[in-house]
């Protein structure tokens, strides 16, 4: 039975394989690899993927007469590649054999993914495979795969192929199908040592060099180690081995890999670095021991325990499920960003390093992760904040282009801090281009300022605040003060034409332009930011405060204006005292609850029929990020009509039990 540290998956479920691969991702902050089977390729069921922090590439598409440019986190060469076959037969492919046992187990305490496989091939031969995999948390450039193959009831030749596959693309998200996905060019393959392979690739726009070296050793008790045969197959390079086995005998395959990019510090050149690193790397068992110690030390800082619910011992099962879920969440945060990120210029992508959803962009998700990290790894929290402060000039350019002063941070950020959010999306069902207003989520800038101040409050790091954080926070405050307009009829300042955290509310019915007015969250947090700006000036050392005031041109009149805005910001409050989500919220048409209930029921039935049974642990599938333009693939059918005209619809509880349930579902799917 799985414990609270282990996530298990039993059986073969093609419909749930992508989800399992994401949940079984292993990483160390520098890079991460999805939990795909080593013998698999990107075939619509499996999707091997390896991603390095901060490695992006920009491509353009000409779609329906429009040029669309996207920057994406790049899928790197597949180092997992390990295939096996018996005799002269084809390489083993699970759909072509009768699977007796197929079990995956993710050990979160140790950061190890194990796999047990038993199958009978077309010739009636039974074979067992056991695999262990790590992405080293102790040596962040290394990963390793250990495989044991046992011939249970047959004698003959086992063929093995251990390679690095550079023929990979970014095709992991169905919604991006048909768009440019070839980010890599393989520039070199080599065999620098008898048991070592090297592949060097380069991104075709950002020109980041990526090098991977793999050392493979094959051992059988009482037998000499077989010599590999070098095979080049297009953009793939591999070593092939042949091993004679008798019934009951086993062979072990140890694959140790080094990965570096030209963005990494303290190296001369990626190819040179990985060859040296893999040559000096210890064997799997020693790597595993060091890796386990690193995870033990991390969990000492991030220990999570839960008592029985309501003190009822009968709730133990529920408590175990909750504890496993919480630990899984912490585990994946620490694989996306770890102490190894401290020297990197990289943010926290919304989906970590686990796949290609949202193209690997950075949204405002560090707002939710930094409270976890700041008190336990303050250096890491500071590094994530530096990703933002280094892009202050890009935020200033964005503000100027929008006609504002200060700094306007992007809703979606990638390599250089420009706005990566698309302004229009093509609806593949209707063939129409639909506007995407999600770039109007200006509250991302407030989140940056909030994170800076909370970090300073928690750590007392005045050096960071003085040298980096204060200037950024002040420029964001300047933007929001300048983004207000004065409404003389109310004697209040207002912020118009934005999009709040509710991404379904993009514009008013019939409005020609996107955006809503006076989003309560945005306005209240803007006030908070303007007040904190004065606090920042108060705590800075006098010399640094003078330098910033002079350098930013902050006059006493401007600071008085900030104070005036903070004291007279408009917040829409209804006569009954309830704060409205935004101005005019209560005047919006009611959602068609009956149609929504029918659509939700249909969607739920479809999801339930395809949802995998993940061993002893299950979870609901996360909804995609909803926007006004992605209705064909993200939103329920009833939202499609609303999205197509860009109108907002109000969710409001209705009295009947059935409708109340529908309201709950609607609200639950609203966040991304």
């Amino acid at each position: 039975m799985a414990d609270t540290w282990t996530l298990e998956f039993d059986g073969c479920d093609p419909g749930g394989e992508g989800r399992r691969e994401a949940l079984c991702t292993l990483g160390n902050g520098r890079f991460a690899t999805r939990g795909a089977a080593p013998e698999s390729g990107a075939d619509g069921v499996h999707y091997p993927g390896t991603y390095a922090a901060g490695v992006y590439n920009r491509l353009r598409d000409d779609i329906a007469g429009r040029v669309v440019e996207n920057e994406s986190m790049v899928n790197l060469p597949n180092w997992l590649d390990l295939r096996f076959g018996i005799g002269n037969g084809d390489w083993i492919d699970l759909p072509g054999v009768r699977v007796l046992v197929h079990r995956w187990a993710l050990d979160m305490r140790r950061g190890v993914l194990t796999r047990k496989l038993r199958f009978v091939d077309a010739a009636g031969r039974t074979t067992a495979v056991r695999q262990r995999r790590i992405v080293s948390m102790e040596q962040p450039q290394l990963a390793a795969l250990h495989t044991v193959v046992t011939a249970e009831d047959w004698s003959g030749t086992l063929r093995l192929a251990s390679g690095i596959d550079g023929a990979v693309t970014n095709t992991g998200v169905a919604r991006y199908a048909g768009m440019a996905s070839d980010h890599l060019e393989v520039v070199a393959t080599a065999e620098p040592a008898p048991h070592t392979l090297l592949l060097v690739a380069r991104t075709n726009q950002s020109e980041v060099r990526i090098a991977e070296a793999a050392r493979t050793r094959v051992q059988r008790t009482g037998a000499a180690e077989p010599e590999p045969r070098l095979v080049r197959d297009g953009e793939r390079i591999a070593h092939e081995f042949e091993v004679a086995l008798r019934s009951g005998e086993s062979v072990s395959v140890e694959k140790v890999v080094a990965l570096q990019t030209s963005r990494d510090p303290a190296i001369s050149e990626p190819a040179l670095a990985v060859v040296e690193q893999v040559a000096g790397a210890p064997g799997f068992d020693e790597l595993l021991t060091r890796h386990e110690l690193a995870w033990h030390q991390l969990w000492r800082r991030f220990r999570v325990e839960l008592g029985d619910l309501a003190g009822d011992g009968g709730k133990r099962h529920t408590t175990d499920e909750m504890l496993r879920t919480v630990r899984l969440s912490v585990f994946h945060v620490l694989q996306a960003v770890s102490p190894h990120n401290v020297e990197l210029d990289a943010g926290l992508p919304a989906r970590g390093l686990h796949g290609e959803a949202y193209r690997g962009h950075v949204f405002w998700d560090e707002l939710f992760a930094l409270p976890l990290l700041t008190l336990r790894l303050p250096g890491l929290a500071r590094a994530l904040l530096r990703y933002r402060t280094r892009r202050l000039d890009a935020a200033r350019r964005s503000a100027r282009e929008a006609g504002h002063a200060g700094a306007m941070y992007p809703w979606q950020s990638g390599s250089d801090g420009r706005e990566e959010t698309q302004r229009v999306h093509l609806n593949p069902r209707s063939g129409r281009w639909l506007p995407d207003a999600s770039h109007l989520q200006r509250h991302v800038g407030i989140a940056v300022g909030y994170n800076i101040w909370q970090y300073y409050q928690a750590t007392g790091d005045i050096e960071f605040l003085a040298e980096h954080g204060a200037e950024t926070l002040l420029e964001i405050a300047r933007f929001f003060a300048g983004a207000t307009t004065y409404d003389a009829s109310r004697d209040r300042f207002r912020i118009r034409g934005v999009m709040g955290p509710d991404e379904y509310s993009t514009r008013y019915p019939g409005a020609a332009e996107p955006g809503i007015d006076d989003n309560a969250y945005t306005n209240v947090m803007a006030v908070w930011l303007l007040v904190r700006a004065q606090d920042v000036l108060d705590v800075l050392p006098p010399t640094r405060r003078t330098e910033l005031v002079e350098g930013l041109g902050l006059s006493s009149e401007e600071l008085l204006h900030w104070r005036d805005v903070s004291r007279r910001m408009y917040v829409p409050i209804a006569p009954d005292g309830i704060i409205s989500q935004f101005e005019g919220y209560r005047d919006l048409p009611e959602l068609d609850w009956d149609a929504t209930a029918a659509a939700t029921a249909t969607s739920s039935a479809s999801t339930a029929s395809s949802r995998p049974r993940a061993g002893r642990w299950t979870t609901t599938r996360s909804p995609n990020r909803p926007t006004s333009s992605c209705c064909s693939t993200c939103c329920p059918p009833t939202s499609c009509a609303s999205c197509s005209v860009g109108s907002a619809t109000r969710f409001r509880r209705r009295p009947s039990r059935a409708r109340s349930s529908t309201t709950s579902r609607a609200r639950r799917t609203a966040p991304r």
Side-chain angles (χ1 to χ4, degrees):
M1 180 177 180
D3 59 23
T4 58
W5 288 100
T6 307
L7 190 63
E8 292 187 346
F9 299 84
D10 288 321
C12 300
D13 182 359
E17 185 64 5
R19 172 178 170 272
R20 186 205 59 76
E21 290 177 351
L23 289 172
C24 291
T25 295
L26 295 180
N28 56 27
R30 288 290 185 95
F31 75 94
T33 297
R34 287 169 57 85
E39 72 276 7
S40 67
D43 56 10
V45 174
H46 308 281
Y47 192 74
T50 293
Y51 309 93
V55 176
Y56 291 94
N57 194 63
R58 192 177 299 276
L59 295 177
R60 291 183 175 183
D61 289 279
D62 189 342
I63 303 176
R66 288 179 181 263
V67 175
V68 177
E69 182 176 282
N70 287 290
E71 184 176 65
S72 304
M73 186 169 64
V74 179
N75 185 13
L76 304 183
N78 178 21
W79 65 267
L80 276 177
D81 187 3
L82 182 66
R83 311 172 189 184
F84 48 92
I86 301 172
N88 295 322
D90 295 334
W91 299 114
I92 295 298
D93 185 25
L94 289 193
V97 299
R98 180 164 59 92
V99 176
L100 303 176
V101 175
H102 197 192
R103 179 176 298 116
W104 295 87
L106 176 65
D107 185 338
M108 296 177 280
R109 188 199 300 268
R110 300 162 59 233
V112 179
L113 179 63
T114 61
R115 180 194 190 198
K116 295 181 180 179
L117 171 66
R118 288 183 72 238
F119 63 87
V120 179
D121 62 21
R125 296 169 294 202
T126 305
T127 305
V129 180
R130 292 181 288 117
Q131 292 180 317
R132 295 177 294 166
R133 181 190 311 181
I134 63 172
V135 173
S136 177
M137 188 59 79
E138 193 266 342
Q139 299 185 63
Q141 71 278 7
L142 296 181
L145 173 67
H146 187 270
T147 303
V148 176
V149 182
T150 302
E152 291 195 357
D153 58 7
W154 57 271
S155 298
T157 300
L158 177 70
R159 293 182 296 112
L160 299 162
S162 174
I164 306 173
D165 188 0
V168 297
T169 57
N170 276 49
T171 54
V173 178
R175 186 181 171 199
Y176 307 151
M179 303 186 76
S181 59
D182 295 320
H183 293 277
L184 287 178
E185 300 171 352
V186 174
V187 298
T189 58
E191 187 184 37
H195 290 268
T196 301
L197 301 170
L198 172 67
L199 186 146
V200 182
R202 178 180 58 222
T203 57
N204 52 27
Q205 176 270 328
S206 55
E207 297 189 350
V208 177
R209 288 175 66 87
I210 304 100
E212 296 181 15
R215 185 190 72 203
T216 305
R217 309 305 294 260
V218 179
Q219 295 180 330
R220 181 170 66 86
T221 303
E225 182 175 2
E227 290 300 317
R229 178 171 65 92
L230 182 65
V231 176
R232 284 187 168 93
D233 180 13
E235 295 178 311
R236 175 178 177 266
I237 185 171
H239 275 148
E240 292 190 0
F241 304 82
E242 291 187 354
V243 182
L245 292 178
R246 291 192 295 266
S247 179
E249 288 186 334
S250 300
V251 62
S252 67
V253 184
E254 179 186 88
K255 185 174 186 178
V256 177
V257 175
L259 186 156
Q260 298 269 197
T261 80
S262 55
R263 300 184 75 255
D264 291 336
I267 64 170
S268 169
E269 191 275 330
L272 176 64
V274 295
V275 171
E276 292 177 346
Q277 289 158 358
V278 84
F284 183 89
D285 288 340
E286 185 175 343
L287 280 174
L288 176 62
T289 299
R290 297 179 183 179
H291 170 75
E292 289 175 339
L293 176 60
W295 268 110
H296 174 74
Q297 293 171 342
L298 273 179
W299 282 119
R300 183 187 294 146
R301 293 175 182 244
F302 289 87
R303 179 181 175 184
V304 179
E305 301 290 346
L306 295 176
D308 288 351
L309 295 177
D312 182 357
K315 299 288 188 179
R316 183 71 254 173
H317 175 71
T318 303
T319 304
D320 286 350
E321 289 295 302
M322 291 176 60
L323 183 56
R324 184 181 299 111
T325 302
V326 172
R327 284 174 172 165
L328 181 67
S329 299
V330 175
F331 176 73
H332 282 302
V333 168
L334 294 175
Q335 293 195 124
V337 287
S338 80
H340 301 301
N341 290 66
V342 170
E343 300 299 325
L344 292 183
D345 177 31
L348 175 60
R351 289 292 181 90
L353 304 176
H354 297 55
E356 296 160 17
Y358 308 149
R359 297 190 179 275
H361 292 164
V362 178
F363 292 74
W364 66 332
D365 298 78
E366 69 260 35
L367 177 73
F368 311 106
L370 283 174
L372 174 73
L373 300 173
T374 298
L375 296 179
R376 296 165 179 85
L377 293 172
L380 174 57
R382 175 178 170 136
L384 294 174
L385 293 174
R386 287 289 286 127
Y387 169 82
R388 295 297 193 178
T389 61
R390 289 189 186 100
R391 287 153 182 80
L392 176 58
D393 283 342
R396 284 170 168 149
R397 287 194 297 272
S398 295
R400 287 196 300 271
E401 290 169 2
H404 297 291
M408 185 176 76
Y409 274 84
W411 178 238
Q412 297 186 38
S413 180
S415 60
D416 60 8
R418 75 180 75 178
E419 179 62 79
E420 300 293 348
T421 306
Q422 289 294 315
R423 298 301 177 94
V424 291
H425 280 292
L426 179 67
N427 184 326
R429 292 184 180 177
S430 68
R432 290 186 299 146
W433 287 93
L434 301 174
D436 182 351
S438 57
H439 67 280
L440 296 176
Q441 295 186 77
R442 307 301 186 204
H443 52 272
V444 62
I446 300 174
V448 173
Y450 178 88
N451 292 334
I452 289 170
W453 181 251
Q454 291 300 110
Y455 170 79
Y456 167 70
Q457 290 286 91
T459 65
D461 188 350
I462 190 65
E463 189 273 338
F464 168 79
L465 187 68
E467 297 301 322
H468 308 292
E471 183 176 8
T472 301
L473 191 148
L474 291 169
E475 284 288 73
I476 298 170
R478 171 177 272 170
F479 166 76
F480 276 95
T484 64
T485 57
Y486 178 66
D487 185 339
S489 65
R490 289 186 170 95
D491 190 27
R492 290 290 183 269
F493 290 92
R494 307 180 65 184
I495 300 178
R496 298 176 180 268
V498 300
M499 183 175 173
D502 168 18
E503 296 179 307
Y504 278 131
S505 301
T506 63
R507 71 176 72 199
Y508 293 104
E513 296 296 328
I516 49 92
D517 299 337
D518 301 308
N519 174 259
Y521 176 87
T522 305
N523 286 19
V524 170
M525 289 304 297
V527 169
W528 178 92
L529 182 69
L530 292 168
V531 174
R532 293 292 82 74
Q534 185 58 58
D535 291 342
V536 165
L537 290 171
D538 291 342
V539 301
L540 287 176
T543 299
R544 182 55 180 155
R545 180 172 59 247
T546 300
E547 290 172 348
L548 277 178
V549 168
E550 291 174 345
L552 296 176
L554 279 176
S555 65
S556 57
E557 290 79 11
E558 185 174 8
L559 293 175
L560 284 173
H561 175 65
W562 292 9
R563 186 176 67 177
D564 192 25
V565 171
S566 72
R567 294 179 176 181
R568 291 195 289 167
M569 181 72 80
Y570 176 65
V571 177
I573 302 176
D576 58 8
I578 296 177
I579 297 176
S580 292
Q581 186 180 141
F582 49 83
E583 178 70 359
Y585 174 76
R586 291 198 172 188
D587 299 328
L588 293 175
E590 185 75 12
L591 185 70
D592 186 340
W593 290 104
D594 294 330
T596 300
T600 304
T602 301
S603 176
S604 298
S606 174
T607 302
S609 66
S610 61
R611 183 174 297 147
R613 293 185 295 276
R616 299 176 178 87
W617 188 89
T618 59
T619 184
T620 55
R621 185 173 299 171
S622 298
N624 291 324
R625 179 186 297 273
T627 68
S628 63
S629 58
C630 63
C631 51
S632 64
T633 53
C634 305
C635 306
T638 51
S639 298
C640 214
S642 297
C643 286
S644 65
V645 297
S647 61
T649 305
R650 178 161 51 104
F651 295 105
R652 184 172 63 189
R653 184 175 297 277
R654 293 180 65 178
S656 74
R657 179 177 301 174
R659 288 169 176 170
S660 218
S661 174
T662 302
T663 303
S664 176
R665 283 194 293 270
R667 283 176 173 160
R668 204 157 41 229
T669 59
R672 60 177 175 82

